[in-house]
Amino acid sequence: MTTEALPAPVQASRPAGTHASVATRTVKYGLLLLFLLLILMPAYVLFVTSFKTIGDATPSRAWNLPAEWQLDGWRRAWETLSPALVRTFSMVIPAALLSAFIGSMNGFVLSKWRFPGADLVFTLILFGMFIPYQAVMIPLVQLMQALSVPSGVPSLIVLHTIYGLPITTLIFRNYYAGVPHELIEAARVDGAGMLRTYASVMLPISMPAFVVVLMWQFTSAWNDYLFALFFSNSRNGPVTISLNFLASGQLQDYSASMAGALIASVPTLVVYILLGRYFVGGLMAGSVKG
Amino acid sequence: MRATHKSLAMGLAALSLLAVSACGGEDGGTGGGGETQEVEVFTWWAEGSEKEGLDALVEVFTSQNPDFEFVNGAVAGGAGSDAKNVLASRLQTNDPPATFQAHAGAELTDYIEAGQIEGLSAMYEEKGWNELFPEGLLERLEQDGEIYSVPSNIHRANVVWANTAVLEEAGLDPKASYASLDEWIAALEKVEAAGKIPLSVATDWTQVHLLETVLLADLGAEAYSGLWDGSTDWAGEDVTAALEDYQTLMGFTNTDRQSLDWQDATQLVIDGEAAFNVMGDWAEAAFATSEKTYDTDYVAFPVPGTDGVFDFLADSFTMPVGSPNGEGTEAWLDTVASAEGQEAFNKAKGSIPANIEAETADFGPYQQTAIESWANDEIVSSVAHGAAASVSWLTDITSAVAKFGSNDDVTELQEGLVAAAEKHASS
Amino acid sequence: MSSTVPASATTPDAPHTPAKSRKSPGRRPSRSWAAPLLLISPTLLVLGVFVYGLIAANLNTSFQDRHTRAESQGYVWFENYAALFSDDTFMYSLRNLLLYTGAFLLGTLVLGFLWAWLLEKGVRGESLFRAVYLFPMAVSFIASGVVWRWLLNNAEGDRSSGLNRLFGDLGLTWLQNPWWTHERWGIVAIAVPAIWQLSGYVMALFLAGFRGIPEELREAGRMDGCNEWQLYRHVLFPQLSPVALSAIIIIGHMSLKVFDLIMAIAGQTNYTTQVPATQMWVEFTRGDYAKSAAIGTVLLVIVAVLIVPYLVATYRQERRR
């Protein structure tokens, strides 16, 4: 906090700043590196422990490098988690696509083809994004039973799609709000109806918003634990459930748990690495919002 | 025009998909053995000796029933707490396994009340199981005149495990027996002076386990059993005295207990970091796995003050209502009840058979002592393991004990236990 | 992150919306309202049921005498709530929730702001720093809980491990502490991993905020003779208050729902890390549906206190457009 708080000498011209800025920059980079290390610390422990033998992987030796690098932990974790990974993909992908498409249509309507009370409707939809799901969980369990949605992947697809709608609607609405009305009008003049306008004008320019929305939905459904806990189990549920059972088992198999945590995080990390630029870029340019 | 259709189709497809997944649940569960030949057995025996026991039992099952395919529905997690949550949600959503493990006794009450498991008395009659199990055990299995599960094994909860080397280092005789908690506490003080952990304990449920043995030691078998049927007053002074002893014992335990499960706490004794550990006799397997020899490397004795009392718990298997494979369930229960199944299972798991016809001559030295006690001792039911009180009652006891673990307030602990008893005795 | 909300969502309006829609023909009553209503009606129906309908159903359950898996024994109205608020453990868990939220907010805002400030003017390797600071948010609380459970091991002295071990090895023994097992401050230790995960996100928000400030403002500030500190203090920081508000809303509402992290690190029975969400789960698993539903409603009210004013403000703003 103190680096820039030093009253810098007259800021008017470059030369005065040089020696102060050398000090400032040193402190600045020092801090950045320090935080970098702090952030990476848990990742380091995860990484090295996952390669340790069972005896070597104890909390008291958390900071040491493995006495002997071996892949057994990874193999055991993979055996436990791989079926769950498949299930998680088969749950997350449809849920993300469905909620993204429905959200984009909603966003279109709410921003460009409005009806009276659209703002109120939007606000009511938005509320759904913030509710703690605990406040609907008990009747939700009963409702899903009444609808006889099988537990596991089908239930979770339904839930992640539905409870994803507020946020996808919001993002698309804000995105479409930035689209000039002239485009819509031009389509209208050509006699295009609402759906045609959506498909021919909006969809083609929606890619950036889809990237952001799909990324969010993918990540949040992948990382979800609450719905998974209530609506699935370790035999038909996603990887968060299996991982937690792996990690809280009685014979605490630390190397396998740590390898499992890494395995379970790979898909979302890959998404971030590949698409993070769009996300951060979108955030920074403010282009996602209206 | 084409574009309109396309997008319309897309929209409809999306919606109909939603509708399909919302209404298409008639084909039964996805997770648990939908096919008739699969028998999904739900347990929390996922690791260590418990898994070895299960594997041995499965071997017997497969040889007896070559037509059925065993499907392992094991869920790991301390004393089955995670598994029970998973099970509760599966039963709620009408997705039961073919059979599930449950502690015999009061723990079954919740499932019975919710109409989730079938009565088995007729099956007992038909298959002659009533002759296979000791009468005292059958009485404890019975609820309102009906038996709901088949016991697979018997465990003893009131056992102290001790590392002989640590005891000698602290100037204690490993062969010494302690007549009362007070004598034992004197020994714990010596260990503390020698710089080792006197008594190792782990997370909340193991603390409940410890508390139960202390109550048993101080109140005696009869008054202890009275705690569960209302004939002993939880607010009484003798309970207060027992809780104070519990507080004293907790004062000798390791500080990192909340981070540990029972295996870690027992491991502290095995590794010579701690002198004593109170744990059920499934701990025996942990010593065996570490290649320790009974009577030389470690000793085991009843918790001081509970000699002559067998604090029992039993695992058992049920027939869920709406089992996906009724025949398969029956075949599994048959194997569980059989002498052959019980021998294989218990030998590997370190427990003792519930079936009196099982051959136990080649069981280990610790198991022999347990078999003898089971035959001769007074039997009481364990609360930490679901034999004495319902799951809901145990939940309240656990939260009172967990609270005590952080605030060390005996009065509050007793108030919590009294409130829990009032709440559940009336319902 | 089970419930992160993109910042874009809630960042109050950037300056480029005014007027353009004012006279836009798109705003005049369209030929038909039926089509848009039809298109959005599935969403309205589904959310009407799954959000508002279920909130009502939950409220209904919370008013009943339904403490076992068996059928309800009739209505007791506010008795369940009265019981909750006279229960020390529940009050303790509410207190924990507030403490956790305070620590989580403070930690993420301070760190996120600091990092954004350090990166704001562009540094070499910015993309590396940004990526590393941001990566923890891609990981689930369950996965990060695996390692934090270890790092926050509460053994001290000879048997210490995790962070306490590191402190010991570095000669910082005075930093060793019982972490999440401390009766009063234990819950704050749970905020440590949460801060680790979300500070990067708040950084991204602030960074976007900094970069969104027009260069002219800085120029104008310099013209007025501000030094660098004064420029930040009087010109740039005030521009960021809307970003800070969004961060508070987002982190705040996430924080009030904390559950996964506690389950992964301390488990559901541990006393010192009780929060309403974990209690709700425990009550659910033993079939006390009424109490569980009442806890859910209390959580909803707490979140609503934070969210509703914000939603109302957003709504008003939308109306003005």
Side-chain angles (χ1 to χ4, degrees):
Chain A
M1 289 296 275
T2 54
T3 51
E4 319 241 1
L6 301 167
V10 199
Q11 193 62 34
S13 54
R14 291 263 161 227
T18 38
H19 87 271
S21 80
V22 168
T24 317
R25 275 174 58 181
T26 315
V27 177
K28 193 176 189 174
Y29 279 98
L31 277 175
L32 283 169
L33 278 171
L34 176 73
F35 284 118
L36 191 81
L37 290 179
L38 287 178
I39 291 286
L40 288 176
M41 221 165 56
Y44 164 81
V45 173
L46 267 176
F47 189 77
V48 297
T49 310
S50 71
F51 290 104
K52 290 181 178 177
T53 55
I54 288 190
D56 194 19
T58 63
S60 55
R61 263 175 285 183
W63 306 102
N64 302 6
L65 286 171
E68 178 194 338
W69 294 75
Q70 49 104 24
L71 286 166
D72 283 4
W74 284 81
R75 195 178 38 71
R76 288 193 302 274
W78 178 252
E79 276 165 16
T80 317
L81 296 184
S82 52
L85 282 172
V86 173
R87 288 193 296 268
T88 318
F89 274 114
S90 65
M91 178 271 284
V92 165
I93 291 171
L97 287 175
L98 275 172
S99 59
F101 270 108
I102 302 175
S104 97
M105 287 189 288
N106 292 343
F108 167 64
V109 169
L110 289 172
S111 62
K112 289 286 179 262
W113 214 281
R114 296 157 59 90
F115 50 89
D119 287 324
L120 182 64
V121 163
F122 173 64
T123 309
L124 289 174
I125 291 179
L126 208 54
F127 182 64
M129 186 167 89
F130 293 105
I131 59 162
Y133 298 126
Q134 280 84 2
V136 294
M137 202 55 92
I138 303 260
L140 184 58
V141 169
Q142 290 158 348
L143 179 66
M144 295 296 274
Q145 255 172 274
L147 296 173
S148 39
V149 188
S151 87
V153 173
S155 279
L156 293 174
I157 291 179
V158 171
L159 294 172
H160 286 300
T161 303
I162 292 176
Y163 290 106
L165 288 178
I167 188 134
T168 60
T169 302
L170 170 87
I171 297 176
F172 278 107
R173 178 188 169 279
N174 286 350
Y175 179 76
Y176 291 147
V179 175
H181 274 277
E182 290 70 32
L183 275 178
I184 310 287
E185 273 317 299
R188 265 191 196 183
V189 169
D190 290 347
M194 183 182 69
L195 285 174
R196 168 105 180 265
T197 312
Y198 169 69
S200 61
V201 179
M202 290 313 221
L203 265 189
I205 56 165
S206 302
M207 254 342 260
F210 267 103
V211 170
V212 173
V213 165
L214 287 174
M215 200 173 138
W216 275 110
Q217 284 305 97
F218 183 90
T219 318
S220 68
W222 187 279
N223 289 342
D224 164 70
Y225 180 67
L226 187 64
F227 281 136
L229 192 59
F230 279 86
F231 294 95
S232 72
N233 56 63
S234 57
R235 281 180 49 72
N236 64 11
V239 70
T240 42
I241 294 284
S242 303
L243 176 62
N244 199 38
F245 286 143
L246 178 68
S248 61
Q250 293 179 5
L251 275 184
Q252 299 197 331
D253 184 348
Y254 292 122
S255 46
S257 320
M258 304 264 171
L262 289 170
I263 290 172
S265 308
V266 164
T268 47
L269 284 175
V270 166
V271 166
Y272 263 71
I273 290 164
L274 291 182
L275 302 176
R277 200 165 7 147
Y278 292 92
F279 167 66
V280 177
L283 201 66
M284 291 188 178
S287 64
V288 182
K289 67 161 313 320
Chain B
M1 211 47 212
R2 190 174 290 162
T4 317
H5 277 140
K6 215 162 141 194
S7 73
L8 185 63
M10 207 151 59
L12 286 177
L15 289 174
S16 62
L17 245 171
L18 191 65
V20 165
S21 49
C23 310
E26 300 305 327
D27 59 338
T30 41
E35 293 176 25
T36 38
Q37 294 315 97
E38 289 187 355
V39 183
E40 190 202 355
V41 178
F42 186 99
T43 65
W44 53 86
W45 295 330
E47 292 160 341
S49 62
E50 301 184 328
K51 182 167 192 312
E52 283 161 27
L54 181 62
D55 289 344
L57 187 57
V58 169
E59 211 169 288
V60 176
F61 174 74
T62 324
S63 69
Q64 288 178 349
N65 304 282
D67 295 343
F68 289 114
E69 190 199 337
F70 167 84
V71 176
N72 193 350
V75 167
S81 57
D82 294 328
K84 283 174 205 166
N85 294 337
V86 172
L87 181 64
S89 84
R90 286 188 58 175
L91 294 177
Q92 285 286 306
T93 51
N94 295 322
D95 175 27
T99 179
F100 63 85
Q101 171 197 6
H103 287 130
E107 188 177 294
L108 291 171
T109 314
D110 292 4
Y111 302 119
I112 298 168
E113 281 178 359
Q116 289 166 335
I117 52 177
E118 307 268 9
L120 297 175
S121 289
M123 199 183 279
Y124 266 77
E125 199 68 42
E126 180 194 327
K127 296 188 181 277
W129 288 346
N130 289 321
E131 323 306 318
L132 294 181
F133 301 107
E135 210 164 297
L137 176 60
L138 289 177
E139 272 167 30
R140 282 163 197 281
L141 291 179
E142 214 174 82
Q143 304 222 8
D144 300 325
E146 182 78 31
I147 294 178
Y148 289 89
S149 67
V150 180
S152 53
N153 58 308
I154 304 292
H155 273 298
R156 185 176 198 178
N158 56 330
V159 186
V160 179
W161 306 88
N163 183 314
T164 46
V166 177
L167 296 186
E168 277 162 5
E169 207 177 303
L172 293 164
D173 176 10
K175 303 283 175 200
S177 63
Y178 308 97
S180 68
L181 285 180
D182 288 340
E183 281 180 31
W184 191 36
I185 287 165
L188 292 171
E189 275 164 4
K190 283 195 175 170
V191 179
E192 190 167 49
K196 297 279 184 177
I197 300 165
L199 177 62
S200 70
V201 75
T203 188
D204 305 308
W205 73 264
T206 67
Q207 296 164 29
V208 176
H209 185 115
L210 176 63
L211 172 65
E212 125 180 8
T213 60
V214 172
L215 285 168
L216 183 60
D218 281 356
L219 301 176
E222 198 186 329
Y224 168 83
S225 297
L227 290 170
W228 315 114
D229 62 18
S231 58
T232 303
D233 182 9
W234 277 95
E237 273 172 28
D238 42 353
V239 174
T240 314
L243 296 181
E244 276 160 3
D245 278 343
Y246 172 67
Q247 182 183 35
T248 311
L249 290 180
M250 285 296 282
F252 289 109
T253 61
N254 44 310
T255 49
D256 59 344
R257 56 192 179 230
Q258 293 303 115
S259 310
L260 310 179
D261 207 330
W262 75 267
Q263 296 263 15
D264 309 293
T266 305
Q267 197 65 36
L268 289 176
V269 173
I270 296 174
D271 293 346
E273 288 188 56
F276 299 100
N277 174 228
V278 173
M279 192 32 64
D281 56 12
W282 46 92
E284 159 73 12
F287 286 92
T289 314
S290 305
E291 287 165 5
K292 300 289 177 187
T293 315
Y294 182 70
D295 253 2
T296 45
D297 298 322
Y298 69 101
V299 291
F301 51 88
V303 171
T306 69
D307 201 9
V309 183
F310 194 105
D311 185 10
F312 116 99
L313 62 126
D315 290 301
S316 69
F317 285 90
T318 59
M319 164 86 84
V321 170
S323 158
N325 180 0
E327 265 177 59
T329 308
E330 200 175 319
W332 177 259
L333 295 181
D334 249 333
T335 301
V336 168
S338 71
E340 199 189 337
Q342 297 230 337
E343 283 159 27
F345 175 70
N346 287 293
K347 191 152 185 283
K349 189 175 186 285
S351 44
I352 62 176
N355 183 323
I356 46 181
E357 291 176 2
E359 188 57 57
T360 55
D362 60 343
F363 277 40
Y366 167 77
Q367 280 161 300
Q368 299 296 349
T369 68
I371 289 165
E372 201 190 314
S373 304
W374 173 246
N376 302 318
D377 286 3
E378 186 164 358
I379 294 173
V380 297
S381 300
S382 160
V383 62
H385 304 281
S390 68
V391 176
S392 193
W393 192 347
L394 177 56
T395 303
D396 286 327
I397 292 174
T398 307
S399 71
V401 168
K403 191 173 182 178
F404 176 81
S406 74
N407 71 7
D408 204 37
D409 184 333
V410 169
T411 319
E412 222 175 294
L413 172 61
Q414 189 162 19
E415 282 166 7
L417 294 171
V418 169
E422 276 165 6
K423 181 169 156 191
H424 294 283
S426 60
S427 66
Chain C
M1 232 80 324
S2 48
S3 55
T4 326
V5 176
S8 51
T10 45
T11 335
D13 277 8
H16 62 74
T17 33
K20 92 174 156 208
S21 61
R22 185 61 39 86
K23 56 176 194 266
S24 152
R27 285 304 164 102
R28 73 168 183 235
S30 19
R31 272 148 274 185
S32 159
W33 298 331
L37 273 173
L38 198 67
L39 193 61
I40 205 173
S41 58
T43 302
L44 294 185
L45 186 74
V46 158
L47 289 182
V49 171
F50 279 79
V51 174
Y52 295 95
L54 292 183
I55 287 176
N58 189 64
L59 206 57
N60 184 36
T61 306
S62 75
F63 286 143
Q64 298 183 32
D65 183 7
R66 192 173 179 202
H67 300 289
T68 62
R69 292 211 165 81
E71 287 302 298
S72 162
Q73 309 290 308
Y75 282 85
V76 294
W77 299 107
F78 287 94
E79 216 171 87
N80 293 324
Y81 292 93
L84 272 185
F85 285 100
S86 58
D87 175 4
D88 289 346
T89 308
F90 185 69
M91 297 314 284
Y92 177 71
S93 83
L94 280 181
R95 187 207 73 114
N96 272 351
L97 184 63
L98 293 182
L99 210 55
Y100 171 82
T101 302
F104 189 14
L105 273 176
L106 192 71
T108 48
L109 286 175
V110 167
L111 282 181
F113 181 78
L114 178 62
W115 295 349
W117 192 12
L118 289 173
L119 290 173
E120 183 253 329
K121 281 201 287 184
V123 298
R124 198 163 300 157
E126 183 196 320
S127 58
L128 171 75
F129 287 118
R130 228 170 46 196
V132 171
Y133 290 170
L134 206 54
F135 100 88
M137 75 174 293
V139 178
S140 69
F141 280 132
I142 298 296
S144 66
V146 171
V147 65
W148 282 103
R149 187 188 165 104
W150 244 36
L151 294 179
L152 300 181
N153 188 302
N154 69 328
E156 293 173 47
D158 292 344
R159 296 194 51 246
S160 65
S161 59
L163 286 178
N164 278 352
R165 177 69 163 223
L166 188 67
F167 292 152
D169 289 352
L170 296 176
L172 302 168
T173 15
W174 54 275
L175 272 175
Q176 292 190 350
N177 70 79
W179 297 110
W180 49 270
T181 57
H182 191 279
E183 193 194 2
R184 180 166 292 193
W185 303 111
I187 192 71
V188 175
I190 302 288
V192 172
I195 293 168
W196 173 76
Q197 286 202 260
L198 281 149
S199 293
Y201 177 71
V202 175
M203 169 205 73
L205 291 185
F206 277 119
L207 208 45
F210 271 120
R211 304 256 155 107
I213 300 173
E215 191 55 32
E216 300 84 69
L217 268 180
R218 295 180 193 234
E219 289 304 324
R222 292 204 180 97
M223 290 294 197
D224 290 348
C226 290
N227 65 29
E228 197 70 353
W229 165 243
Q230 287 166 332
L231 183 70
Y232 276 109
R233 173 72 189 78
H234 298 292
V235 181
L236 301 183
F237 292 167
Q239 291 287 314
L240 294 177
S241 50
V243 179
L245 180 69
S246 335
I248 289 173
I249 297 281
I250 294 162
I251 300 294
H253 104 278
M254 279 184 60
S255 165
L256 293 172
K257 297 192 230 175
V258 59
F259 176 70
D260 309 12
L261 197 54
I262 293 177
M263 292 290 279
I265 293 178
Q268 63 194 38
T269 54
N270 186 59
Y271 177 70
T272 51
T273 52
Q274 299 266 309
V275 292
T278 54
Q279 286 190 307
M280 187 263 169
W281 166 244
V282 169
E283 296 304 333
F284 173 80
T285 54
R286 67 156 147 176
D288 192 338
Y289 294 134
K291 190 170 176 190
S292 192
I295 296 174
T297 308
V298 172
L299 258 185
L300 179 69
V301 170
I302 296 174
V303 173
V305 166
L306 178 74
I307 294 305
V308 169
Y310 165 76
L311 285 179
V312 169
T314 313
Y315 173 64
R316 293 220 175 104
Q317 209 169 15
E318 295 294 331
R319 288 295 299 268
R320 276 201 307 273
R321 292 214 321 204

